[in-house]
Amino acid sequence: MSRRERIRSAFAAAPDYDGHARIQREVAQTLAARIAALDLPPAPRVLEIGCGTGFLTSALIDQGIGGDWLVTDIAPEMVERCCAALPTSDDARTLRFATLDGEHGTPEGAPFDLICSSLAVQWFDDTPAALARLSQWLAPGGHLVVTTLGPRSFQEWRAAHEAEGITPGTPAYPPVEAFATLSPETLLVEDMTETHLDPRAFVRAVKAIGAGTSAPSHRPLNPAQLRAVMARFAQSGCNVTYEVVTCHLRRAPTFPYVSPQ
């Protein structure tokens, strides 16, 4: 099974995403507020990548953003859960749902006035290159706004592995400088910390939200190694850092031609 298939399967089977994804919910709400402050058209054409169970979708609705939306995820089970949780249409907006590989697939309905994603694109093989590709689907003046994870994410869990001489399986996220090469309108880096009751609670939470897919070629720890890593992690206080990167790209607007006098 390819890594992409393993990621899709893990999220499809996530047993309690909403109950454990506290950071993800908070990040989505903050992103929605930032999107609401943009100069979007009254009825924008919106593409969401990696909708999950609908944290960002719901937060954008709460912000009063209308228009014609295409809400997507690589896991059809997540699309179904998001669709079931939200109204498909009202006076302000129409929501369409589809399964889509946001890194390599092509959506229907381009160009879009807004392309957005909250803590999903870090699962891409090459996130900066994927954002450059996504930006080609923007209408003139359109916005691409995503949150992703930076390389300092889960640094405490990584450190616990390294203290035992073990290579961690946490994915390697691209450095913030890689996003700067895209000439973003805005590039923000913010640390968020989540504290768990104990190491097992952290491992259970990661599995519950479907985020346990390890880096390519990583070999699972044996029981003795896992116990040693957990003991080291407990010494750190069971805190977990999320380095949240917000990247905002914009396509230049097209202005009407004005004849010189």
Side-chain angles (χ1 to χ4, degrees), residues 128-129 132 175-184 187 247 249:
V176 176
E177 293 77 13
F179 298 100
T181 63
L182 301 173
S183 301
L187 186 61
C247 184
L249 308 180

Side-chain angles (χ1 to χ4, degrees), residues 15-239:
D16 188 12
Y17 189 93
D18 289 3
H20 287 84
R22 294 179 291 272
I23 292 289
Q24 287 80 359
R25 187 187 299 273
E26 185 176 346
V27 170
Q29 291 171 343
T30 300
L31 178 60
R34 287 173 172 154
I35 289 172
L38 300 176
D39 57 339
L40 295 171
R45 294 159 294 176
V46 179
L47 169 65
E48 182 183 353
I49 300 292
C51 64
T53 60
F55 285 175
L56 180 58
T57 324
S58 179
L60 290 171
I61 290 173
D62 291 344
Q63 288 289 339
I65 296 175
D68 181 18
W69 298 13
L70 178 59
V71 181
T72 73
D73 197 283
I74 194 172
E77 295 84 355
M78 283 294 193
V79 174
E80 292 172 4
R81 290 168 67 177
C82 184
C83 180
L86 298 168
T88 56
S89 65
D90 55 32
D91 292 341
R93 68 191 61 80
T94 299
L95 273 65
R96 296 175 291 121
F97 296 85
T99 301
L100 178 72
D101 179 340
E103 184 169 12
H104 300 292
T106 300
E108 296 182 359
F112 300 95
D113 302 300
L114 170 66
I115 300 175
C116 56
S117 180
S118 184
L119 294 186
V121 299
Q122 68 270 11
W123 294 105
F124 290 173
D125 293 329
D126 188 337
T127 302
L131 295 187
R133 178 174 179 265
L134 288 170
S135 68
Q136 297 175 8
W137 299 336
L138 289 173
H143 300 269
L144 188 158
V145 193
V146 305
T147 52
T148 185
L149 295 180
R152 289 190 295 105
S153 298
F154 309 109
Q155 59 187 0
E156 299 86 354
W157 184 245
R158 295 176 192 270
H161 283 72
E162 291 163 359
E164 293 296 321
I166 300 170
T167 301
T170 312
Y173 303 119
V176 176
E177 293 77 13
F179 298 100
T181 63
L182 301 173
S183 301
E185 288 269 314
T186 309
L187 186 61
L188 300 175
V189 182
E190 301 163 291
D191 282 355
M192 301 180 69
T193 303
E194 186 173 45
T195 301
H196 295 267
L197 291 175
D198 54 49
R200 292 187 182 278
F202 167 66
V203 173
R204 284 196 299 268
V206 169
K207 290 182 178 179
I209 66 173
T213 304
S214 60
S217 74
H218 176 72
R219 299 182 64 180
L221 305 188
N222 63 44
Q225 289 175 319
L226 183 57
R227 287 194 297 270
V229 168
M230 284 185 166
R232 292 279 188 178
F233 183 61
Q235 293 172 9
S236 74
C238 298
N239 298 316

